[in-house]
Each structure stands twice: as structure tokens, then as C-alpha cells.
Amino acid sequence: MDVKLTLNVRSPNVDESEDTRQRIKDAAGRKAAANESVADALVRIGAMSLTDKERTQYTEVTEAYRNGRIGNDSFRSGSVVSVAKLTKADVLSVGTRLLAEKSESMRESRIAETLRTKPDNFYVITDDNDLPRMIQRLREEVSRQQTDAWFRKIFGLFDNTLIRRKLLERGISIPPVMSLTVWDTETSGLDKMLDLSGGYSVWLPILNEGYYVAYGHLTGERQCTRSNALGAIERFMTLPEHIKSFHNANYDLSIMLNDGLKPQGIRYDSQDVQRLLNEHEESVGLKPLIAKYKTLIGIDVDDFTFEDLFKGSPMVYGIEVVGIYAIKDVLKGWALTRWQIDNMVSTDNLHVPFFEIRQYLTEINVNIERTGFVIDLDALARLGVEFRSKLVESQANVIKAYGVDEADFLRRMDRVVSATKIEHWCESQRKKAERLRTQIAGKHAKIAELAAAGKTHLKSYSSETEALKRYETDLAALPEPIADNAPAYVEAFEFTNDNHLRYLIYDYLGVKDRTKEIAKDKSRTRAVSKDVLERYYEAEESLQPLAAVSMYEKLLGTYVDKIPLALDVDGRLHTELDTVSTGRYSSKGYKGKPNDTRPAVITDENYLAAMRALIDAPEKSVSKGTNVQNIPSRTKEGKRVRMTFTPPPGRIFLGSDLSSIEPRLQAHIMAVEFDDDIFAEMFRMGLDPYIEFAAILFDVPKEHCTDDYAKEHPEFPPYRKLMKQLFLAEGYGQAFGQFYKAVQPFGISEAQALNAYRKFDEILPGFKRMVETAFEHLREHGWTATLWHQKRRFPAYRENWRRLSVLMRKARINGKDDAELSKKSRRLSRDECSEFWQLIRETGRDERACFNHRIQGSGANVLQMCMIMSYYILVLERGWEFTLTLHDEQKHAAPADELTEEAVKLYSEIMTDTVTLACPLKCDSVIEDRWMSEFSVDEWDFVARRPKPEFADKYAKYAI
């Protein structure tokens, strides 16, 4: 008899674990992969989820494989082990390489095209002997512009300004403009305090020719000597009568200062002007603007960007191609400059804010940024020791006050902040239990089958019985899938964990969520962001222990520990300035290169080595500077941080801020445009309008309306503060309900608030007309403007307003201030009602921004003109340092021997007399031996150059 033995490697009687099944599945997959072609693998990978970037890489591979540019061997190089194991990462790696090769090939093609099509009027200078001819042509350009009608008209706009006339009254002359040329620099990098130029270009508009001077290329080619190249333009650059236009002039001016030049006349920045023409530009880069507007501008030049031609610094590329590119840039810059000027002149008086104000700001902004602050590092270190000790103490106080280290607190917090993890755990437990029940049922069925077949004596029966017991034991041991049985995910309270803070504030302490009232993003809830917490800390007594921790963490982490590491190459702390939508300045830190990247003194001998070091240094690798505006000033601890900011040796700070500039501007507009003089007259009489109007509108004694009275009598509403809130409500077009919601927490009755709200228009009729006129203009034109015609545009407003008007008519709503607005909105369908309230929010946001821009933007214009005057009178004429502009103030560091009572008077006059309104301007000027250590004229000894003895200890409590 023949015996046949069969080996069953997968016995059906043996329980298959999940691991076993997965191993079998993996083995099958490996077998299939071994037989998969590259084409099949690409199809498989193409069906995967890919990002846009990955899809581009994948498409490049598939196209290259299809057309034969790559074959199977391409997937056997580098990190790819074999075609049989082709993965998504393998394909993307090949795609990255192919795209890089394609990009490099295209770059080489563009460079060849650029060289081939070089215009005859492009001159690339690499020989010192050719520099005099360029300067001679520059002089010829200047001469010809004197008799050109267009240039003469534009020179008149540059010259005929309030600033120039005011300066002449003080015997200071800005020379009449004689020329306008367009310039650019090619540099070693982006660091405005360290990097150097390696070439410059200029376009001469009437002569219709451009020049590029090379002196810093690292290609080994013949080029000009740096000192001769810079020396050739040094005098021209210092002459303010010759206007130099740059695109991003702040950067180029900074580089030229690094080069040792002292430029003046940097009074046209085509990048900044484009923001004036359209603040909503998708990009204000030169090439995108030319590509977008080239038909209107009337220029036919290729649109190659820097990245299209170069990778990294232009200084490592051939001089000729860099020179052609650079000259094309200044040609584009000239075409853009002329087009912009013509547009400003012809459109809504846009030339006014530029020629009256912004033409002067580039030099001033760069001067402020480069001046910076001297920091008393020893005092800052002492503060660090003190604050760290107080932080530990404050954290202990939080633990004591809230019991955040107690097991019960941690358990309850964990159940809340880990809710998602706990739910996942519960779901996992339910699935495990279900899986075990299924397995148990299967085992019961199998055991019953074996028993019915009389096979209880077999080993398989024993195996199935043992497996059943194991599954039943596992099921019995599973905790019930409820939250209380879930493991703990939080072991300790962390002060830096937002979820922990959120639980403590909203759940444990029960603080009412006011996020929507405070945050700009109205979709947020239960926020613990800085803006929300600062308001809570002011209003919630229960949060004071936490407020102390937050304060010390911020002071240490953002300033005390960071500032010593954020000093720039000159050893000072700097800030980067920008302007917000209203035109006010904002401040921020920035990133640069290591301070020791290049030598402090650059000579012709060490210059190219310095350029190599600068080019090789990583861009934006070091955090520098800080947002000086955000350093707290209302707390003792914040003031002490500011007091580590000191004047340079031999100098003393002099600062001044405009007092109540926004209400004074409102009073001016009411008087001049709406013949309502009551607001302006109060300022003329030296009264506080908020106190006067509060007494009238809230019908209370005047003495009850001061801030001091409110502090001494907390049982009474702070009427002056409420009056400010009422002005805001009227300025934003708020209905009474919105106004009362804002002031109710201050303890005022609804009847008293309603009476004041109704009387406002009777007492100040011009204010309402001012607001209504601003909104009417917005609805008709979609933009608003400051008194100096600086626009702010609201692209979506008019369409939103038209749609809102349709819905209001349908619901028979009588305007946004209808007392029954909410009730009547229910006449709309559900979708229409939702749309209605969304439009109410969006139009309201734009209307508030519109009125803010009209007033705050005008205030920013006033301060900017004061800054311009002080720059010419104090910085250029007297050598003072321009240290800071902040909100409505400016600060200078004056030589100690020049700080006299007459100097302080001059400083105040600059603030109050530069602009004339229907009511007088007022400022508060102070002398500071340290920032925030403020002394009035009467408190300062000008002979001894220090505070008078009786005021010497004025700031003793802030001693560090």
C-alpha cells in the first residue's frame, strides 16, 4: 500500500493570532512586489495620497519614465535598493533630483538668453578707468532733466511741501530737487546691519541708458576696485537735491550705510509707493508688479526673477549676466516709478501723502532702526536673578491658591483635558471586548461541533477549550469602557500648557468666557492667548496668583533672558519698524547672520574675503532685536525692564508724546467740515472734554467725572471712562444695546446710560454727521482716507453692504441701529438670517476700521510730520540720535551739553506747531536718564545734568 504524507503548514485547528495573519499578508505582499514592474509600481504610487509638491515630483518621474529620459537603472541609484522594493519615498527622491536638474537646465538656458539679447544701451563696468565716463553721463542726465517738462513738474511736487516751508521758517533748507534717477544694489545677503554690496546699478531716464558697476564678485573675473567704485558715486549719493529711487529702499540704504556711504535724497521707494496705490497687492516685488502692470506701464522687458537666473548670491555668478539683470531691474524700476507718480497725481490726491510725508520717511525709518538702544546688561542680569526667584515664588503661590498639585485636582483636570484620549481609550476597550466576544462565540461553536462529532478526546478539543478559557479570562479582566476607568494622561500641572490653563481658568475657577468680546477672531472660544488673559487679569481677582506667574514668565522669556542674546553687531538692541493699516508704526524683532561673520573694518585687501564669509554665512540664522513696543509699561516690573534701556554715554533721552491727538482730530473735523465748534472750543479753553461732556450727558457733578474720583470712590461709575466708551460707540455706529453691553460692568444703570446715549447727538450734532459722512463715503466708494489723503480700501464692503441692504428691506429693518434689529431679523429665512448676521459683523468690522483709519491714520500722519521735522532739525543739524517712535511719541538721545530748557521748548514746539488744527495740539515732553525714568523741566537741573536733589529719589522704588 502506498502511503502519502501531506504537511499542512497552516493547520485549521491552530488558532491564528493577528500577528500570524499579518505576517502571512506581508509575505504575500513581498511575493507580489517581487513580480511588480516599475510601470506598475508608478501606477500604485500614483494612486496614493500625495501633497501638491509630491504630486509635482511624481508627475516629473512618470513623464520622464514614459518618454525614456530615465529607465529602471534610475531607481537603483542613491537610496533606492532595488526596483522590486520601489516605494513612494524612492519615487519622490528621483522626482526631486529630476526637478533640480530641470531647474538648473532652465536656469542655464535663461542665462544664455540674457547674455545673447543684451541691449546696446546696457553698460557693465569692470574697469576703474570707465567710472569717470559713467559719472559724466550722470551729470549730463541731471542737466537734461532741468529742462524737461515732466521732470520739472515732479520736482515741484517734491519741493512744494509743508515740511520744507516749516523748515525754512527755522532757517533750514532742503535744497530744491535737481534730478530723479533709479538705483539698485547687488549684495552678499539680507542682513541689513552686516551685509555689503558687490555691485550697483543706475538707470538714466532721459539718456535711456543703464550702468552696472561690479566690484564684489567672487568669480575671479576682472572688476573694479571697491574703494574706487564706491568713491565714484560717494558725493552724488550724499547730495539731498538728487532724488534716488529704489525698490525696497530701506534695504538698499542700509547696505550703502554698511558700505560706508552716507546717502541723502533716498526719497522714493517704489515698493512703498505701490502699497500707497494699493495696499491689497498680492505681491509688491518688482518683477510681479511689472508682470501684472506691464501693459499699463508700457514696458517690454522679460519677467525673469532673481530666482529664475540665480541660486544664492549673485556675487558667485558671472559679472556680465548679473550686470544685465541688474540694469534691467533699474529700467523696470524707472518705468514703475514714472507710472506710479502719474497715477498718484491723477488719482484721489494720492500724491499728497507721498510728497507731503512719505518721501521723507525712508531715511528716518532706517536711522531709527540703526540707532537702537544701549542696554545696561548688568542691571538686566540682576533683574533676571530677582525675577527667577519671584517666578518660583509665584508658582508656589498658584499651587497653594488653587491646589494644582493635589491628586484630586489633577484627576479632574485630566478627565477634562484628556477627554479625546479617554474617548479613544474607551472605544479601544469596546472594540477589544467585542473582538473577544466574537472569538468566544467562535470557540463555543467549534467546541460544540467537536463534541457533537465525538471528538472530545482529541488534542484539538483541548486546544479550543484552553483558548476559550483564555478569551473569557481576558474579557473578564477588561475594565469597563467608561471614563473613570481610563488611565491618567496628566501627571502634573504645567504653566506653559494651554489646555491646563484653560481648565484652571474656565472649569475650575469658573471664569466667564469673554473670548468673543476680546479677540478679533470671533469664532474662538475659551482662549488663553495673551490678549484675552491680559483682560482677565485686570478684571478677575481670582486670577491674580496666575497673573503673577504669567508676568514673570513673559518678562524673563521675552526680554530679560533674550535681550542679551539679541544685540546686533554694534552691541545695541535694535528693532524692525513697519506700519500697520492705519499708518501707525509697529515694532518687531528680526533674524540675521552671526555678528562675527565679517571684520568690523573693510578694506580693499580684506573685502573679497569678507564677501565670501558673508555669502557662506546662513541667512536669518540668529534672532536679533525685539518688539520694544510690547515691553510692559503699566507694571512696576515692566517699567524696570525698560529702565535697563539707557542713553549712550554723554547723552540724555528727550521724549514727547502727542496728548489726546485723536479727539483733537475729531474736534478739528467737526469744526472745519461740519461747523460744530463745541468740541474744539473745549480744547482751546484748556478743558478736558471727556470730563465736561460726562458731566452734561450723565447729569452728574463735574468733580465726579475725574479719573482720580473714580479711583477714590469705586462705588460710583467711572464717568470719564464711560464717556470715552460712548465716543467709541458713536464712532463705530453702535446701537444702544451694544454700547450698554460694554459699559454695564462698570455699574451704570440702563436708564442713565440710555439718557446719555440719546443726548449725545443733541450736544454733539457734528460728531454724528462726521461718522455718517464717513460711512456714506465708504458705501459709495469703498475706501476712506486720512486728512492727508492716505487711503485705506475695503474691497468687499460695497457688495456686502448692498446685500445687507436687500435683507434689511426684506425684514423691514430701519438701519443697523434699529432698536428691534434682532426681533425683525427673524422675519428672514434661516439661511438668510445667518447671512444677515454675518454681513452685520463684516460690514461693522469695515466701518469701525474705516472710522479708525480716518482718525488714527490722521494722527499717524501728524506724528510722522513731527518725526520729519525733528529729523532735519535735531538729527541732521544737531547730531542728536533718533532712538524710537512709539504710538504717539518719539524719543531722541541729545548730547548732555545741548540739553537746555530752550532745547526742550524746541522739542515741544516741533510736536505742537508742525501741524495746525482748529484746536491747539498739546504734548508732554520729558527728560529721561533711563527709559521710563521721566522728569519734567521743573524737576531737572540743566547745569548739573541730572534731576534736582529733591527729585533724585523719584524712582527709588524701581531701583535695580
Side-chain angles (χ1 to χ4, degrees):
M1 172 174 94
D2 293 332
V3 178
K4 185 179 181 180
L5 297 176
T6 303
L7 178 62
N8 289 315
V9 296
R10 293 180 65 226
S11 172
N13 296 323
V14 178
D15 178 50
E16 293 180 2
S17 69
E18 287 186 32
D19 288 344
T20 302
R21 287 196 294 273
Q22 186 62 45
R23 286 197 299 272
I24 294 169
K25 182 178 179 182
D26 292 344
R30 287 194 295 272
K31 182 178 179 181
N35 299 317
E36 185 182 50
S37 68
V38 171
D40 291 338
L42 291 176
V43 172
R44 169 175 54 81
I45 293 168
M48 295 179 180
S49 175
L50 301 174
T51 65
D52 290 344
K53 179 181 178 181
E54 290 171 341
R55 181 64 62 184
T56 301
Q57 295 166 335
Y58 168 79
T59 301
E60 188 68 22
V61 172
T62 56
E63 290 179 355
Y65 189 75
R66 189 181 304 116
N67 62 31
R69 188 155 57 97
I70 61 172
N72 290 357
D73 288 346
S74 298
F75 299 96
R76 291 195 178 98
S77 60
S79 62
V80 185
V81 178
S82 74
V83 174
K85 297 180 181 180
L86 202 58
T87 66
K88 170 182 168 182
D90 297 334
V91 172
L92 297 183
S93 175
V94 173
T96 299
R97 174 171 56 82
L98 290 175
L99 287 171
E101 292 171 356
K102 183 178 181 179
S103 175
E104 187 58 32
S105 175
M106 293 175 65
R107 179 178 290 111
E108 291 173 358
S109 176
R110 294 189 198 103
I111 288 175
E113 177 69 10
T114 299
L115 291 169
R116 185 182 66 80
T117 59
K118 176 186 176 183
D120 294 337
N121 57 345
F122 282 25
Y123 301 96
V124 178
I125 297 179
T126 58
D127 187 331
D128 290 349
N129 294 321
D130 294 331
L131 291 169
R133 180 184 178 278
M134 179 191 72
I135 298 303
Q136 180 57 42
R137 295 297 285 171
L138 179 57
R139 293 194 186 101
E140 177 66 21
E141 174 70 26
V142 171
S143 176
R144 292 196 187 186
Q145 288 188 15
Q146 307 306 304
T147 58
D148 182 272
W150 185 88
F151 280 99
R152 288 174 63 85
K153 180 181 74 172
I154 301 311
F155 295 165
L157 292 172
F158 275 105
D159 290 337
N160 187 23
T161 66
L162 173 68
I163 292 296
R164 195 158 177 266
R165 293 191 295 274
K166 285 283 185 178
L167 287 171
L168 281 172
E169 291 174 4
R170 294 186 177 275
I172 297 172
S173 174
I174 301 178
V177 172
M178 295 181 63
S179 72
L180 170 60
T181 48
V182 181
W183 296 74
D184 193 16
T185 60
E186 302 303 325
T187 71
S188 58
L190 303 175
D191 192 312
K192 293 192 293 185
M193 294 290 288
L194 277 170
D195 275 306
L196 304 170
S197 70
Y200 58 78
S201 49
V202 57
W203 187 259
L204 309 181
I206 293 181
L207 295 177
N208 191 37
E209 59 191 36
Y211 294 83
Y212 175 70
V213 178
Y215 46 91
H217 289 254
L218 302 177
T219 55
E221 300 171 87
R222 178 184 179 182
Q223 57 188 332
C224 296
T225 308
R226 176 177 182 264
S227 58
N228 290 334
L230 294 175
I233 61 169
E234 183 174 14
R235 174 167 169 72
F236 184 82
M237 279 293 163
T238 62
L239 297 174
E241 59 264 37
H242 297 295
I243 304 297
K244 299 91 180 174
S245 170
F246 289 87
H247 196 79
N248 189 13
N250 181 301
Y251 168 77
D252 292 283
L253 174 54
S254 298
I255 295 297
M256 286 189 159
L257 288 166
N258 293 347
D259 287 334
L261 299 178
K262 298 179 180 179
Q264 292 190 62
I266 313 298
R267 282 161 49 192
Y268 196 96
D269 182 350
S270 51
Q271 185 177 86
D272 179 63
V273 171
Q274 194 61 36
R275 293 192 184 100
L276 189 65
L277 288 169
N278 179 11
E279 72 271 28
H280 299 290
E281 285 288 0
E282 185 175 339
S283 170
V284 291
L286 179 60
K287 283 67 170 189
L289 290 176
I290 294 296
K292 179 177 179 180
Y293 295 110
K294 65 175 0 179
T295 302
L296 294 173
I297 293 173
I299 183 174
D300 184 18
V301 184
D302 65 62
D303 298 325
F304 291 162
T305 65
F306 180 89
E307 292 73 18
D308 288 334
L309 294 173
F310 311 118
K311 186 177 181 181
S313 172
M315 295 297 101
V316 300
Y317 286 85
I319 291 175
E320 188 74 4
V321 68
V322 173
I324 297 169
Y325 165 82
I327 297 171
K328 284 183 179 180
D329 260 13
V330 288
L331 169 58
K332 293 173 184 177
W334 160 244
L336 181 63
T337 294
R338 177 155 186 163
W339 177 75
Q340 288 175 334
I341 292 174
D342 288 342
N343 267 276
M344 286 192 292
V345 170
S346 63
T347 308
D348 300 322
N349 291 309
L350 284 176
H351 65 286
V352 174
F354 172 74
F355 288 108
E356 290 287 348
I357 301 172
R358 288 168 83 135
Q359 65 156 310
Y360 303 105
L361 292 181
T362 294
E363 293 181 20
I364 298 169
N365 294 344
V366 170
N367 185 274
I368 296 171
E369 287 183 344
R370 293 178 72 87
T371 297
F373 278 97
V374 175
I375 304 297
D376 185 339
L377 293 175
D378 292 336
L380 200 63
R382 291 194 295 273
L383 274 186
V385 172
E386 179 185 335
F387 285 1
R388 272 184 280 278
S389 173
K390 290 187 175 180
L391 174 59
V392 172
E393 181 182 334
S394 299
Q395 290 172 333
N397 289 339
V398 168
I399 293 172
K400 180 179 179 180
Y402 307 135
V404 297
D405 62 338
E406 296 175 4
D408 184 57
F409 175 91
L410 292 172
R411 177 67 177 175
R412 282 183 284 133
M413 181 178 76
D414 177 61
R415 298 301 87 178
V416 174
V417 304
S418 306
T420 301
K421 292 181 180 178
I422 290 170
E423 179 54 38
H424 288 163
W425 178 86
C426 291
E427 181 62 24
S428 174
Q429 292 299 101
R430 285 191 287 268
K431 287 181 179 179
K432 284 182 182 178
E434 184 60 32
R435 196 161 51 245
L436 286 168
R437 292 189 189 99
T438 300
Q439 290 171 324
I440 288 169
K443 295 306 173 188
H444 276 300
K446 187 63 179 178
I447 290 170
E449 178 186 333
L450 291 171
K455 297 180 179 179
T456 57
H457 62 287
L458 296 179
K459 184 176 180 180
S460 60
Y461 182 85
S462 299
S463 297
E464 296 293 341
T465 303
E466 289 173 5
L468 174 63
K469 289 179 180 177
R470 188 167 64 252
Y471 291 153
E472 288 176 335
T473 300
D474 289 347
L475 180 62
L478 275 182
E480 185 181 356
I482 59 175
D484 284 346
N485 291 334
Y489 295 96
V490 175
E491 297 180 355
F493 182 87
E494 298 175 4
F495 290 96
T496 57
N497 188 305
D498 284 354
N499 286 328
H500 295 189
L501 291 175
R502 194 171 286 112
Y503 172 80
L504 175 63
I505 292 170
Y506 295 110
D507 298 299
Y508 183 75
L509 296 175
V511 172
K512 180 183 176 182
D513 184 11
R514 295 170 53 207
T515 302
K516 293 185 184 298
E517 300 174 25
I518 301 169
K520 292 182 179 180
D521 183 355
K522 301 307 177 186
S523 65
R524 293 168 60 196
T525 59
R526 291 167 58 90
V528 289
S529 52
K530 170 190 162 186
D531 55 341
V532 174
L533 290 185
E534 284 183 350
R535 293 280 291 277
Y536 287 175
Y537 293 153
E538 290 176 1
E540 301 286 343
E541 186 64 32
S542 63
L543 290 179
Q544 292 315 297
L546 189 62
V549 171
S550 175
M551 176 185 69
Y552 286 117
E553 283 181 337
K554 176 181 177 179
L555 291 174
L556 285 166
T558 308
Y559 304 110
V560 176
D561 292 338
K562 179 182 174 183
I563 284 174
L565 306 176
L567 306 183
D568 217 311
V569 65
D570 59 354
R572 294 191 182 190
L573 183 73
H574 298 263
T575 192
E576 189 170 287
L577 296 177
D578 200 356
T579 52
V580 298
S581 56
T582 60
R584 277 185 166 184
Y585 282 93
S586 63
S587 163
K588 61 182 179 182
Y590 55 95
K591 290 183 179 292
K593 296 177 179 178
N595 289 339
D596 60 355
T597 300
R598 67 165 172 86
V601 178
I602 301 296
T603 65
D604 286 342
E605 289 70 31
N606 69 7
Y607 168 59
L608 290 181
M611 288 293 282
R612 170 54 68 187
L614 288 166
I615 290 169
D616 291 344
E619 294 282 7
K620 299 185 177 182
S621 58
V622 180
S623 294
K624 299 182 181 184
T626 191
N627 181 344
V628 294
Q629 293 181 338
N630 277 4
I631 303 175
S633 61
R634 289 185 291 177
T635 64
K636 175 183 176 182
E637 291 78 8
K639 288 179 179 178
R640 294 174 74 204
V641 172
R642 290 195 179 203
M643 285 180 174
T644 65
F645 290 53
T646 69
R651 293 179 181 265
I652 298 171
F653 284 145
L654 184 56
S656 186
D657 70 287
L658 293 165
S659 176
S660 305
I661 183 60
E662 290 169 20
R664 289 174 194 271
L665 285 162
Q666 291 171 351
H668 170 80
I669 295 171
M670 287 169 59
V672 172
E673 298 184 21
F674 301 99
D675 200 29
D676 184 348
D677 216 35
I678 184 172
F679 205 176
E681 184 59 25
M682 286 190 177
F683 281 121
R684 293 186 200 117
M685 296 171 65
L687 302 174
D688 183 330
Y690 292 123
I691 292 176
E692 302 297 323
F693 288 131
I696 296 170
L697 297 182
F698 292 107
D699 196 21
V700 292
K702 192 184 300 185
E703 56 269 22
H704 289 193
C705 300
T706 66
D707 290 336
D708 289 341
Y709 188 88
K711 291 177 184 177
E712 296 167 4
H713 299 84
E715 68 274 16
F716 290 105
Y719 289 109
R720 187 176 185 276
K721 180 181 286 188
L722 298 182
M723 193 64 238
K724 283 188 172 183
Q725 191 65 43
L726 183 50
F727 268 97
L728 282 176
E730 292 286 342
Y732 292 160
Q734 290 180 352
F736 171 72
Q738 293 171 288
F739 164 64
Y740 186 59
K741 183 178 180 181
V743 299
Q744 187 178 11
F746 295 106
I748 189 170
S749 69
E750 183 172 2
Q752 191 179 22
L754 181 60
N755 184 57
Y757 184 84
R758 287 174 173 170
K759 287 169 63 177
F760 187 95
D761 293 344
E762 300 174 17
I763 304 300
L764 291 149
F767 195 94
K768 186 175 185 66
R769 292 202 302 275
M770 173 176 63
V771 175
E772 288 176 343
T773 301
F775 291 172
E776 287 167 4
H777 186 278
L778 179 64
R779 288 159 191 166
E780 181 179 353
H781 301 285
W783 56 268
T784 188
T786 68
L787 293 176
W788 285 268
H789 303 281
Q790 182 175 313
K791 271 188 179 183
R792 184 176 178 187
R793 301 153 185 89
F794 300 88
Y797 178 82
R798 282 190 291 179
E799 182 56 37
N800 286 342
W801 176 254
R802 280 193 286 267
R803 177 58 182 160
L804 179 60
S805 298
V806 169
L807 294 176
M808 287 196 292
R809 285 194 298 271
K810 186 173 183 178
R812 299 189 295 282
I813 294 172
N814 300 317
K816 295 172 73 171
D817 57 352
D818 192 317
E820 296 183 320
L821 188 69
S822 180
K823 178 181 177 181
K824 291 180 179 179
S825 69
R826 299 190 195 104
R827 296 170 180 169
L828 300 168
S829 70
R830 183 174 180 178
D831 287 346
E832 287 175 332
C833 192
S834 176
E835 181 187 11
F836 171 81
W837 286 108
Q838 180 65 21
L839 289 170
I840 284 286
R841 286 190 291 272
E842 291 180 5
T843 55
R845 177 198 62 207
D846 286 350
E847 286 160 1
R848 290 191 296 274
C850 161
F851 191 70
N852 275 344
H853 183 77
R854 179 107 170 110
I855 304 304
Q856 289 184 5
S858 295
N861 290 159
V862 172
L863 180 64
Q864 287 166 342
M865 286 188 277
C866 294
M867 290 167 55
I868 296 165
M869 290 291 288
S870 65
Y871 176 72
Y872 280 96
I873 296 171
L874 304 176
V875 177
L876 295 184
E877 288 290 314
R878 299 183 177 215
W880 292 21
E881 289 190 357
F882 204 150
T883 309
L884 181 66
T885 179
L886 182 73
H887 303 308
D888 297 324
E889 70 174 285
Q890 60 176 351
K891 188 183 305 296
H892 291 74
D897 58 356
E898 291 186 22
L899 187 61
T900 62
E901 289 190 60
E902 291 74 20
V904 178
K905 181 182 178 183
L906 170 63
Y907 201 72
S908 297
E909 287 176 352
I910 290 172
M911 298 293 282
T912 59
D913 295 352
T914 297
V915 174
T916 302
L917 300 179
C919 55
L921 289 177
K922 182 182 177 183
C923 71
D924 298 310
S925 297
V926 294
I927 302 162
E928 300 169 298
D929 52 4
R930 290 174 174 262
W931 194 9
M932 297 298 294
S933 179
E934 300 175 349
F935 298 91
S936 68
V937 171
D938 294 335
E939 296 171 335
W940 190 259
D941 187 330
F942 290 95
V943 176
R945 301 172 188 171
R946 60 173 180 261
K948 292 178 179 178
E950 59 267 37
F951 300 106
D953 295 330
K954 183 177 179 180
Y955 296 98
K957 66 178 180 179
Y958 298 103
I960 301 172

